[in-house]
Amino acid sequence: MEEFVSACVVALLLCCFLVFSVASYRHFDPKVRSSGNELIRYFSLAATIGLCGLFALRWPAPIWGAIGAGGLAFLSLALFRASVRAVPSGILHVAFTDGSPDQLMTQGIYGRIRNPLYTSYLTYWFAWVFALAIHPASLIVFAGFILLYSRAIAQEERVLAARFRDDYAAYMSMAGRFLPRLLGRSG
């Protein structure tokens, strides 16, 4: 049973990575690239390969870890889909660039979470923490992506705040950075 569940979970996690990878060519402007964006791309590939190797060495995953990872992988895909569907043009801006949208995204999932794509990606990396039963390598990868995405978000927030000023300030008070704000404005 543990082997079957482990196989399903690793397949689901690889499916997440494949969806993110294909979408990066479909939904992000292919003419716009940055060194930070390339860092994310190559770090993601290397981390996924490394974590898959570690997963194989620790085969099979404990049932609690596999079930937790599977649930998080499904959540990651659902957040990703909701994020992409909420963008009317279907074209998203590339991390670590000065590009900004023509309008402030506040509809759909963006009404509750300012960075749902990053939340989706972090959920994927957190799924690996469960799949690997809280192995230190999975925690290091997860922490690394928190730092990397936080830097990208900080740059994006500066660009959006300059472009949309008071509207963006109001939006920041209503929608959380990675998680929904449950009680409106909070720290």
Side-chain angles (χ1 to χ4, degrees), residues 60-128:
I63 198 73
W64 65 267
I67 291 171
L72 288 167
F74 277 117
L75 177 60
S76 176
L77 288 170
L79 287 166
F80 186 83
R81 179 172 163 79
S83 301
V84 171
R85 290 191 70 175
V87 178
S89 69
I91 301 297
L92 302 163
H93 292 274
V94 176
F96 293 108
T97 66
D98 291 331
S100 69
D102 297 329
Q103 67 181 29
L104 188 59
M105 293 294 307
T106 60
Q107 64 268 22
I109 195 166
Y110 289 88
R112 303 291 298 161
I113 304 172
R114 295 192 313 269
N115 302 286
L117 283 171
Y118 291 120
T119 300
S120 171
Y121 303 149
L122 285 174
T123 304
Y124 165 76
W125 295 115
F126 194 56
W128 278 107

Short mmCIF file of all heavy atoms in Angstrom, two decimals, residues 60-128:
data_model
loop_
_atom_site.label_atom_id
_atom_site.label_comp_id
_atom_site.label_asym_id
_atom_site.label_seq_id
_atom_site.Cartn_x
_atom_site.Cartn_y
_atom_site.Cartn_z
N PRO A 60 9.72 3.41 0.49
CA PRO A 60 8.56 4.25 0.18
C PRO A 60 8.38 5.33 1.25
O PRO A 60 8.93 5.24 2.35
CB PRO A 60 7.40 3.26 0.22
CG PRO A 60 7.79 2.24 1.24
CD PRO A 60 9.31 2.15 1.14
N ALA A 61 7.60 6.33 0.90
CA ALA A 61 7.31 7.41 1.85
C ALA A 61 6.39 6.90 2.94
O ALA A 61 5.57 6.00 2.70
CB ALA A 61 6.64 8.58 1.13
N PRO A 62 6.51 7.45 4.14
CA PRO A 62 5.53 7.07 5.18
C PRO A 62 4.14 7.50 4.71
O PRO A 62 3.99 8.51 4.02
CB PRO A 62 5.97 7.85 6.41
CG PRO A 62 6.92 8.88 5.93
CD PRO A 62 7.46 8.45 4.61
N ILE A 63 3.16 6.75 5.06
CA ILE A 63 1.80 6.99 4.55
C ILE A 63 1.31 8.39 4.89
O ILE A 63 0.69 9.06 4.08
CB ILE A 63 0.83 5.88 5.00
CG1 ILE A 63 -0.44 5.87 4.14
CG2 ILE A 63 0.50 6.00 6.46
CD1 ILE A 63 -0.24 5.34 2.76
N TRP A 64 1.61 8.88 6.11
CA TRP A 64 1.17 10.22 6.50
C TRP A 64 1.82 11.28 5.62
O TRP A 64 1.19 12.26 5.24
CB TRP A 64 1.46 10.50 7.98
CG TRP A 64 2.92 10.55 8.32
CD1 TRP A 64 3.70 9.52 8.77
CD2 TRP A 64 3.80 11.68 8.20
NE1 TRP A 64 5.00 9.94 8.95
CE2 TRP A 64 5.09 11.25 8.60
CE3 TRP A 64 3.62 13.00 7.81
CZ2 TRP A 64 6.19 12.10 8.62
CZ3 TRP A 64 4.72 13.85 7.83
CH2 TRP A 64 5.99 13.40 8.22
N GLY A 65 3.10 11.07 5.27
CA GLY A 65 3.80 12.03 4.43
C GLY A 65 3.27 12.01 3.01
O GLY A 65 3.11 13.05 2.37
N ALA A 66 3.02 10.81 2.49
CA ALA A 66 2.51 10.68 1.13
C ALA A 66 1.12 11.30 1.00
O ALA A 66 0.84 12.02 0.03
CB ALA A 66 2.49 9.21 0.72
N ILE A 67 0.26 11.04 1.96
CA ILE A 67 -1.09 11.61 1.90
C ILE A 67 -1.04 13.13 2.03
O ILE A 67 -1.72 13.85 1.29
CB ILE A 67 -2.00 10.97 2.97
CG1 ILE A 67 -2.27 9.50 2.60
CG2 ILE A 67 -3.30 11.74 3.13
CD1 ILE A 67 -2.96 8.70 3.67
N GLY A 68 -0.22 13.63 2.95
CA GLY A 68 -0.07 15.08 3.08
C GLY A 68 0.47 15.71 1.82
O GLY A 68 0.00 16.75 1.36
N ALA A 69 1.50 15.08 1.23
CA ALA A 69 2.09 15.59 0.00
C ALA A 69 1.08 15.58 -1.15
O ALA A 69 1.01 16.53 -1.94
CB ALA A 69 3.33 14.78 -0.37
N GLY A 70 0.30 14.52 -1.23
CA GLY A 70 -0.72 14.44 -2.28
C GLY A 70 -1.76 15.54 -2.16
O GLY A 70 -2.12 16.19 -3.14
N GLY A 71 -2.22 15.78 -0.95
CA GLY A 71 -3.19 16.85 -0.72
C GLY A 71 -2.62 18.21 -1.07
O GLY A 71 -3.28 19.04 -1.71
N LEU A 72 -1.38 18.45 -0.68
CA LEU A 72 -0.73 19.73 -0.99
C LEU A 72 -0.50 19.88 -2.49
O LEU A 72 -0.62 20.98 -3.04
CB LEU A 72 0.57 19.87 -0.22
CG LEU A 72 0.42 20.11 1.28
CD1 LEU A 72 1.75 19.92 2.00
CD2 LEU A 72 -0.15 21.50 1.54
N ALA A 73 -0.16 18.80 -3.17
CA ALA A 73 0.04 18.87 -4.63
C ALA A 73 -1.26 19.24 -5.33
O ALA A 73 -1.27 20.07 -6.24
CB ALA A 73 0.58 17.53 -5.15
N PHE A 74 -2.37 18.63 -4.92
CA PHE A 74 -3.67 19.00 -5.50
C PHE A 74 -4.01 20.46 -5.20
O PHE A 74 -4.50 21.18 -6.08
CB PHE A 74 -4.80 18.08 -4.98
CG PHE A 74 -4.90 16.79 -5.72
CD1 PHE A 74 -4.68 15.59 -5.06
CD2 PHE A 74 -5.21 16.75 -7.07
CE1 PHE A 74 -4.78 14.38 -5.73
CE2 PHE A 74 -5.30 15.54 -7.76
CZ PHE A 74 -5.09 14.35 -7.08
N LEU A 75 -3.75 20.90 -3.98
CA LEU A 75 -4.00 22.30 -3.63
C LEU A 75 -3.14 23.23 -4.49
O LEU A 75 -3.61 24.25 -4.98
CB LEU A 75 -3.71 22.52 -2.14
CG LEU A 75 -3.85 23.96 -1.64
CD1 LEU A 75 -5.27 24.48 -1.86
CD2 LEU A 75 -3.46 24.04 -0.17
N SER A 76 -1.88 22.86 -4.69
CA SER A 76 -0.98 23.66 -5.52
C SER A 76 -1.52 23.81 -6.93
O SER A 76 -1.54 24.91 -7.50
CB SER A 76 0.40 23.01 -5.55
OG SER A 76 1.26 23.70 -6.41
N LEU A 77 -1.98 22.71 -7.51
CA LEU A 77 -2.54 22.77 -8.87
C LEU A 77 -3.82 23.60 -8.92
O LEU A 77 -4.04 24.35 -9.88
CB LEU A 77 -2.80 21.36 -9.39
CG LEU A 77 -1.55 20.55 -9.75
CD1 LEU A 77 -1.92 19.09 -10.02
CD2 LEU A 77 -0.83 21.17 -10.94
N ALA A 78 -4.66 23.47 -7.90
CA ALA A 78 -5.90 24.26 -7.86
C ALA A 78 -5.60 25.75 -7.76
O ALA A 78 -6.22 26.58 -8.45
CB ALA A 78 -6.78 23.80 -6.70
N LEU A 79 -4.65 26.12 -6.90
CA LEU A 79 -4.25 27.53 -6.78
C LEU A 79 -3.66 28.05 -8.08
O LEU A 79 -3.96 29.17 -8.51
CB LEU A 79 -3.22 27.70 -5.66
CG LEU A 79 -3.72 27.59 -4.23
CD1 LEU A 79 -2.54 27.44 -3.27
CD2 LEU A 79 -4.56 28.79 -3.88
N PHE A 80 -2.85 27.24 -8.73
CA PHE A 80 -2.23 27.64 -9.99
C PHE A 80 -3.31 27.88 -11.05
O PHE A 80 -3.30 28.91 -11.74
CB PHE A 80 -1.24 26.57 -10.46
CG PHE A 80 -0.47 26.98 -11.67
CD1 PHE A 80 0.65 27.77 -11.56
CD2 PHE A 80 -0.87 26.58 -12.93
CE1 PHE A 80 1.37 28.17 -12.67
CE2 PHE A 80 -0.16 26.96 -14.05
CZ PHE A 80 0.96 27.75 -13.93
N ARG A 81 -4.23 26.96 -11.17
CA ARG A 81 -5.31 27.09 -12.16
C ARG A 81 -6.15 28.33 -11.89
O ARG A 81 -6.46 29.09 -12.80
CB ARG A 81 -6.18 25.84 -12.15
CG ARG A 81 -7.34 25.90 -13.12
CD ARG A 81 -8.04 24.55 -13.18
NE ARG A 81 -9.36 24.62 -13.75
CZ ARG A 81 -9.61 24.69 -15.04
NH1 ARG A 81 -8.63 24.72 -15.90
NH2 ARG A 81 -10.86 24.74 -15.48
N ALA A 82 -6.52 28.56 -10.64
CA ALA A 82 -7.32 29.74 -10.29
C ALA A 82 -6.55 31.02 -10.60
O ALA A 82 -7.14 32.01 -11.06
CB ALA A 82 -7.71 29.69 -8.81
N SER A 83 -5.25 31.01 -10.39
CA SER A 83 -4.42 32.20 -10.65
C SER A 83 -4.38 32.53 -12.13
O SER A 83 -4.56 33.68 -12.54
CB SER A 83 -2.99 31.97 -10.16
OG SER A 83 -2.97 31.69 -8.80
N VAL A 84 -4.16 31.52 -12.94
CA VAL A 84 -4.06 31.73 -14.39
C VAL A 84 -5.42 32.11 -14.97
O VAL A 84 -5.52 33.01 -15.81
CB VAL A 84 -3.48 30.48 -15.08
CG1 VAL A 84 -3.57 30.58 -16.58
CG2 VAL A 84 -2.02 30.27 -14.64
N ARG A 85 -6.48 31.47 -14.50
CA ARG A 85 -7.82 31.76 -15.03
C ARG A 85 -8.29 33.17 -14.68
O ARG A 85 -9.12 33.73 -15.39
CB ARG A 85 -8.82 30.74 -14.49
CG ARG A 85 -8.58 29.36 -15.11
CD ARG A 85 -9.67 28.45 -14.79
NE ARG A 85 -10.84 28.91 -15.55
CZ ARG A 85 -11.98 28.29 -15.61
NH1 ARG A 85 -12.13 27.18 -14.95
NH2 ARG A 85 -12.98 28.76 -16.30
N ALA A 86 -7.79 33.73 -13.61
CA ALA A 86 -8.23 35.07 -13.18
C ALA A 86 -7.63 36.19 -14.03
O ALA A 86 -8.09 37.33 -13.95
CB ALA A 86 -7.89 35.29 -11.71
N VAL A 87 -6.61 35.88 -14.82
CA VAL A 87 -5.95 36.90 -15.65
C VAL A 87 -6.64 36.94 -17.01
O VAL A 87 -6.55 35.98 -17.77
CB VAL A 87 -4.44 36.59 -15.80
CG1 VAL A 87 -3.76 37.62 -16.69
CG2 VAL A 87 -3.77 36.52 -14.45
N PRO A 88 -7.34 38.05 -17.31
CA PRO A 88 -8.12 38.10 -18.55
C PRO A 88 -7.31 37.83 -19.82
O PRO A 88 -7.76 37.13 -20.71
CB PRO A 88 -8.69 39.52 -18.57
CG PRO A 88 -8.58 40.02 -17.18
CD PRO A 88 -7.45 39.27 -16.54
N SER A 89 -6.10 38.37 -19.90
CA SER A 89 -5.30 38.20 -21.12
C SER A 89 -4.61 36.84 -21.16
O SER A 89 -4.19 36.39 -22.23
CB SER A 89 -4.23 39.29 -21.19
OG SER A 89 -3.26 39.10 -20.17
N GLY A 90 -4.49 36.18 -20.02
CA GLY A 90 -3.77 34.92 -19.95
C GLY A 90 -2.27 35.11 -19.95
O GLY A 90 -1.52 34.15 -19.82
N ILE A 91 -1.79 36.34 -20.10
CA ILE A 91 -0.35 36.63 -20.11
C ILE A 91 0.04 37.22 -18.76
O ILE A 91 -0.53 38.21 -18.31
CB ILE A 91 0.03 37.60 -21.25
CG1 ILE A 91 -0.37 37.01 -22.60
CG2 ILE A 91 1.52 37.93 -21.19
CD1 ILE A 91 0.35 35.74 -22.97
N LEU A 92 1.02 36.61 -18.13
CA LEU A 92 1.49 37.04 -16.83
C LEU A 92 2.86 37.68 -16.96
O LEU A 92 3.56 37.46 -17.94
CB LEU A 92 1.55 35.84 -15.89
CG LEU A 92 0.20 35.11 -15.72
CD1 LEU A 92 0.40 33.74 -15.14
CD2 LEU A 92 -0.74 35.93 -14.86
N HIS A 93 3.25 38.44 -15.98
CA HIS A 93 4.54 39.12 -16.03
C HIS A 93 5.63 38.27 -15.39
O HIS A 93 5.38 37.50 -14.47
CB HIS A 93 4.44 40.50 -15.37
CG HIS A 93 3.59 41.42 -16.19
ND1 HIS A 93 4.09 42.15 -17.23
CD2 HIS A 93 2.26 41.66 -16.16
CE1 HIS A 93 3.11 42.83 -17.80
NE2 HIS A 93 1.99 42.54 -17.17
N VAL A 94 6.83 38.41 -15.89
CA VAL A 94 7.96 37.59 -15.50
C VAL A 94 8.61 38.15 -14.24
O VAL A 94 8.80 39.35 -14.12
CB VAL A 94 8.97 37.53 -16.67
CG1 VAL A 94 10.21 36.75 -16.28
CG2 VAL A 94 8.32 36.90 -17.90
N ALA A 95 8.96 37.24 -13.34
CA ALA A 95 9.63 37.63 -12.09
C ALA A 95 10.95 38.32 -12.37
O ALA A 95 11.63 38.02 -13.34
CB ALA A 95 9.86 36.40 -11.22
N PHE A 96 11.30 39.23 -11.49
CA PHE A 96 12.57 39.97 -11.54
C PHE A 96 12.70 40.83 -12.80
O PHE A 96 13.79 41.01 -13.32
CB PHE A 96 13.78 39.03 -11.41
CG PHE A 96 13.89 38.38 -10.07
CD1 PHE A 96 13.62 37.04 -9.90
CD2 PHE A 96 14.27 39.12 -8.96
CE1 PHE A 96 13.73 36.44 -8.66
CE2 PHE A 96 14.39 38.52 -7.70
CZ PHE A 96 14.10 37.18 -7.56
N THR A 97 11.56 41.35 -13.27
CA THR A 97 11.60 42.32 -14.36
C THR A 97 10.80 43.54 -13.91
O THR A 97 10.11 43.49 -12.89
CB THR A 97 10.97 41.78 -15.66
OG1 THR A 97 9.57 41.54 -15.46
CG2 THR A 97 11.66 40.50 -16.12
N ASP A 98 10.89 44.61 -14.67
CA ASP A 98 10.13 45.82 -14.33
C ASP A 98 8.77 45.86 -15.01
O ASP A 98 8.10 46.88 -14.97
CB ASP A 98 10.94 47.07 -14.70
CG ASP A 98 12.15 47.24 -13.79
OD1 ASP A 98 12.08 46.79 -12.64
OD2 ASP A 98 13.16 47.80 -14.25
N GLY A 99 8.37 44.77 -15.63
CA GLY A 99 7.07 44.72 -16.29
C GLY A 99 5.95 44.81 -15.27
O GLY A 99 6.07 44.35 -14.15
N SER A 100 4.86 45.45 -15.68
CA SER A 100 3.70 45.51 -14.79
C SER A 100 2.45 45.43 -15.65
O SER A 100 2.45 45.79 -16.82
CB SER A 100 3.71 46.78 -13.95
OG SER A 100 3.49 47.91 -14.75
N PRO A 101 1.37 44.95 -15.06
CA PRO A 101 0.13 44.82 -15.82
C PRO A 101 -0.48 46.18 -16.14
O PRO A 101 -0.14 47.19 -15.52
CB PRO A 101 -0.78 44.02 -14.88
CG PRO A 101 -0.24 44.28 -13.52
CD PRO A 101 1.23 44.50 -13.69
N ASP A 102 -1.37 46.18 -17.13
CA ASP A 102 -2.07 47.41 -17.50
C ASP A 102 -3.10 47.79 -16.45
O ASP A 102 -3.48 48.94 -16.33
CB ASP A 102 -2.77 47.23 -18.85
CG ASP A 102 -1.77 46.99 -19.97
OD1 ASP A 102 -0.64 47.51 -19.88
OD2 ASP A 102 -2.11 46.27 -20.92
N GLN A 103 -3.57 46.81 -15.71
CA GLN A 103 -4.54 47.06 -14.64
C GLN A 103 -4.16 46.24 -13.42
O GLN A 103 -3.48 45.23 -13.53
CB GLN A 103 -5.95 46.71 -15.10
CG GLN A 103 -6.15 45.22 -15.35
CD GLN A 103 -7.55 44.89 -15.84
OE1 GLN A 103 -8.18 45.71 -16.47
NE2 GLN A 103 -8.02 43.71 -15.54
N LEU A 104 -4.61 46.68 -12.28
CA LEU A 104 -4.35 45.98 -11.03
C LEU A 104 -5.26 44.76 -10.95
O LEU A 104 -6.48 44.88 -11.11
CB LEU A 104 -4.59 46.93 -9.85
CG LEU A 104 -4.19 46.45 -8.48
CD1 LEU A 104 -2.70 46.13 -8.43
CD2 LEU A 104 -4.53 47.52 -7.45
N MET A 105 -4.68 43.59 -10.75
CA MET A 105 -5.44 42.35 -10.67
C MET A 105 -6.05 42.22 -9.28
O MET A 105 -5.32 42.04 -8.30
CB MET A 105 -4.53 41.15 -10.94
CG MET A 105 -4.01 41.06 -12.34
SD MET A 105 -5.30 40.75 -13.54
CE MET A 105 -6.08 39.32 -12.85
N THR A 106 -7.38 42.31 -9.19
CA THR A 106 -8.04 42.16 -7.90
C THR A 106 -9.24 41.22 -7.98
O THR A 106 -9.93 41.04 -7.00
CB THR A 106 -8.53 43.53 -7.36
OG1 THR A 106 -9.44 44.10 -8.30
CG2 THR A 106 -7.36 44.48 -7.13
N GLN A 107 -9.46 40.63 -9.15
CA GLN A 107 -10.59 39.72 -9.29
C GLN A 107 -10.17 38.28 -9.05
O GLN A 107 -8.99 37.95 -9.05
CB GLN A 107 -11.27 39.87 -10.67
CG GLN A 107 -10.41 39.49 -11.84
CD GLN A 107 -9.65 40.66 -12.43
OE1 GLN A 107 -9.41 41.67 -11.79
NE2 GLN A 107 -9.21 40.50 -13.64
N GLY A 108 -11.17 37.43 -8.83
CA GLY A 108 -10.89 36.02 -8.59
C GLY A 108 -10.03 35.84 -7.35
O GLY A 108 -10.16 36.55 -6.36
N ILE A 109 -9.11 34.91 -7.44
CA ILE A 109 -8.25 34.60 -6.30
C ILE A 109 -7.37 35.79 -5.92
O ILE A 109 -6.97 35.93 -4.77
CB ILE A 109 -7.40 33.34 -6.61
CG1 ILE A 109 -6.79 32.82 -5.31
CG2 ILE A 109 -6.36 33.61 -7.68
CD1 ILE A 109 -6.23 31.43 -5.41
N TYR A 110 -7.10 36.69 -6.88
CA TYR A 110 -6.29 37.87 -6.59
C TYR A 110 -7.00 38.84 -5.63
O TYR A 110 -6.37 39.71 -5.06
CB TYR A 110 -5.90 38.60 -7.87
CG TYR A 110 -4.90 37.84 -8.70
CD1 TYR A 110 -5.31 36.90 -9.65
CD2 TYR A 110 -3.54 38.03 -8.53
CE1 TYR A 110 -4.40 36.20 -10.40
CE2 TYR A 110 -2.61 37.32 -9.28
CZ TYR A 110 -3.05 36.40 -10.22
OH TYR A 110 -2.14 35.70 -10.96
N GLY A 111 -8.29 38.67 -5.45
CA GLY A 111 -9.03 39.48 -4.49
C GLY A 111 -8.70 39.13 -3.05
O GLY A 111 -8.97 39.92 -2.14
N ARG A 112 -8.15 37.95 -2.85
CA ARG A 112 -7.82 37.49 -1.49
C ARG A 112 -6.31 37.32 -1.25
O ARG A 112 -5.83 37.45 -0.15
CB ARG A 112 -8.52 36.16 -1.19
CG ARG A 112 -10.02 36.19 -1.32
CD ARG A 112 -10.71 37.00 -0.29
NE ARG A 112 -10.47 36.43 1.02
CZ ARG A 112 -10.63 37.09 2.15
NH1 ARG A 112 -11.04 38.32 2.15
NH2 ARG A 112 -10.38 36.53 3.30
N ILE A 113 -5.59 36.95 -2.34
CA ILE A 113 -4.16 36.71 -2.24
C ILE A 113 -3.47 37.51 -3.35
O ILE A 113 -3.82 37.37 -4.51
CB ILE A 113 -3.82 35.21 -2.42
CG1 ILE A 113 -4.58 34.35 -1.41
CG2 ILE A 113 -2.32 34.97 -2.31
CD1 ILE A 113 -4.45 32.85 -1.65
N ARG A 114 -2.49 38.32 -2.98
CA ARG A 114 -1.80 39.16 -3.97
C ARG A 114 -0.88 38.35 -4.88
O ARG A 114 -0.63 38.74 -6.02
CB ARG A 114 -0.99 40.26 -3.28
CG ARG A 114 -1.83 41.26 -2.53
CD ARG A 114 -1.06 42.49 -2.10
NE ARG A 114 0.21 42.30 -1.46
CZ ARG A 114 0.41 42.18 -0.16
NH1 ARG A 114 -0.62 42.20 0.68
NH2 ARG A 114 1.62 42.05 0.33
N ASN A 115 -0.37 37.26 -4.39
CA ASN A 115 0.62 36.47 -5.14
C ASN A 115 0.24 34.99 -5.17
O ASN A 115 1.00 34.14 -4.71
CB ASN A 115 2.00 36.64 -4.50
CG ASN A 115 2.42 38.07 -4.46
OD1 ASN A 115 2.77 38.64 -5.49
ND2 ASN A 115 2.38 38.68 -3.28
N PRO A 116 -0.92 34.67 -5.73
CA PRO A 116 -1.36 33.27 -5.68
C PRO A 116 -0.48 32.31 -6.47
O PRO A 116 -0.40 31.13 -6.12
CB PRO A 116 -2.78 33.32 -6.24
CG PRO A 116 -2.81 34.53 -7.10
CD PRO A 116 -1.90 35.52 -6.42
N LEU A 117 0.20 32.79 -7.51
CA LEU A 117 1.11 31.89 -8.23
C LEU A 117 2.26 31.48 -7.33
O LEU A 117 2.62 30.30 -7.26
CB LEU A 117 1.65 32.56 -9.50
CG LEU A 117 0.68 32.60 -10.67
CD1 LEU A 117 1.22 33.47 -11.78
CD2 LEU A 117 0.37 31.21 -11.18
N TYR A 118 2.85 32.44 -6.62
CA TYR A 118 3.93 32.11 -5.70
C TYR A 118 3.42 31.19 -4.58
O TYR A 118 4.12 30.29 -4.14
CB TYR A 118 4.56 33.36 -5.10
CG TYR A 118 5.35 34.17 -6.11
CD1 TYR A 118 5.00 35.49 -6.38
CD2 TYR A 118 6.45 33.64 -6.78
CE1 TYR A 118 5.72 36.25 -7.30
CE2 TYR A 118 7.16 34.39 -7.69
CZ TYR A 118 6.80 35.69 -7.95
OH TYR A 118 7.52 36.42 -8.85
N THR A 119 2.19 31.43 -4.13
CA THR A 119 1.60 30.55 -3.11
C THR A 119 1.48 29.13 -3.65
O THR A 119 1.77 28.16 -2.95
CB THR A 119 0.23 31.09 -2.66
OG1 THR A 119 0.40 32.39 -2.11
CG2 THR A 119 -0.42 30.18 -1.62
N SER A 120 1.07 29.03 -4.90
CA SER A 120 0.97 27.72 -5.55
C SER A 120 2.32 27.03 -5.59
O SER A 120 2.44 25.85 -5.25
CB SER A 120 0.41 27.89 -6.96
OG SER A 120 0.49 26.70 -7.68
N TYR A 121 3.34 27.76 -6.01
CA TYR A 121 4.68 27.19 -6.09
C TYR A 121 5.19 26.78 -4.71
O TYR A 121 5.78 25.71 -4.54
CB TYR A 121 5.67 28.17 -6.71
CG TYR A 121 5.31 28.67 -8.09
CD1 TYR A 121 5.69 29.95 -8.48
CD2 TYR A 121 4.60 27.89 -9.00
CE1 TYR A 121 5.38 30.42 -9.75
CE2 TYR A 121 4.29 28.37 -10.26
CZ TYR A 121 4.68 29.63 -10.63
OH TYR A 121 4.37 30.11 -11.88
N LEU A 122 4.98 27.63 -3.71
CA LEU A 122 5.43 27.30 -2.36
C LEU A 122 4.69 26.08 -1.81
O LEU A 122 5.27 25.27 -1.07
CB LEU A 122 5.27 28.49 -1.42
CG LEU A 122 6.30 29.60 -1.61
CD1 LEU A 122 5.96 30.81 -0.75
CD2 LEU A 122 7.71 29.10 -1.32
N THR A 123 3.42 25.93 -2.16
CA THR A 123 2.66 24.76 -1.74
C THR A 123 3.27 23.50 -2.34
O THR A 123 3.37 22.46 -1.68
CB THR A 123 1.18 24.92 -2.13
OG1 THR A 123 0.67 26.13 -1.55
CG2 THR A 123 0.35 23.74 -1.65
N TYR A 124 3.70 23.59 -3.60
CA TYR A 124 4.39 22.47 -4.25
C TYR A 124 5.67 22.10 -3.48
O TYR A 124 5.90 20.93 -3.18
CB TYR A 124 4.73 22.85 -5.69
CG TYR A 124 5.73 21.94 -6.37
CD1 TYR A 124 5.37 20.68 -6.83
CD2 TYR A 124 7.05 22.35 -6.55
CE1 TYR A 124 6.29 19.85 -7.45
CE2 TYR A 124 7.98 21.53 -7.17
CZ TYR A 124 7.59 20.28 -7.62
OH TYR A 124 8.51 19.47 -8.23
N TRP A 125 6.47 23.10 -3.15
CA TRP A 125 7.72 22.81 -2.43
C TRP A 125 7.44 22.28 -1.02
O TRP A 125 8.17 21.43 -0.51
CB TRP A 125 8.63 24.04 -2.39
CG TRP A 125 9.08 24.41 -3.76
CD1 TRP A 125 8.78 25.55 -4.45
CD2 TRP A 125 9.89 23.63 -4.65
NE1 TRP A 125 9.35 25.52 -5.71
CE2 TRP A 125 10.04 24.35 -5.85
CE3 TRP A 125 10.51 22.39 -4.55
CZ2 TRP A 125 10.78 23.87 -6.94
CZ3 TRP A 125 11.25 21.92 -5.63
CH2 TRP A 125 11.37 22.66 -6.80
N PHE A 126 6.38 22.77 -0.39
CA PHE A 126 6.02 22.27 0.93
C PHE A 126 5.52 20.82 0.84
O PHE A 126 5.71 20.04 1.78
CB PHE A 126 4.97 23.18 1.58
CG PHE A 126 4.77 22.94 3.04
CD1 PHE A 126 5.83 23.00 3.93
CD2 PHE A 126 3.51 22.66 3.54
CE1 PHE A 126 5.65 22.77 5.29
CE2 PHE A 126 3.32 22.44 4.90
CZ PHE A 126 4.39 22.49 5.77
N ALA A 127 4.90 20.45 -0.27
CA ALA A 127 4.48 19.07 -0.47
C ALA A 127 5.69 18.13 -0.42
O ALA A 127 5.60 17.02 0.11
CB ALA A 127 3.74 18.92 -1.80
N TRP A 128 6.81 18.59 -0.96
CA TRP A 128 8.03 17.77 -0.89
C TRP A 128 8.49 17.58 0.56
O TRP A 128 9.05 16.53 0.89
CB TRP A 128 9.15 18.40 -1.73
CG TRP A 128 9.05 18.07 -3.18
CD1 TRP A 128 8.68 18.91 -4.19
CD2 TRP A 128 9.33 16.80 -3.79
NE1 TRP A 128 8.71 18.24 -5.39
CE2 TRP A 128 9.11 16.94 -5.17
CE3 TRP A 128 9.75 15.57 -3.30
CZ2 TRP A 128 9.29 15.89 -6.06
CZ3 TRP A 128 9.92 14.51 -4.20
CH2 TRP A 128 9.69 14.68 -5.56
#
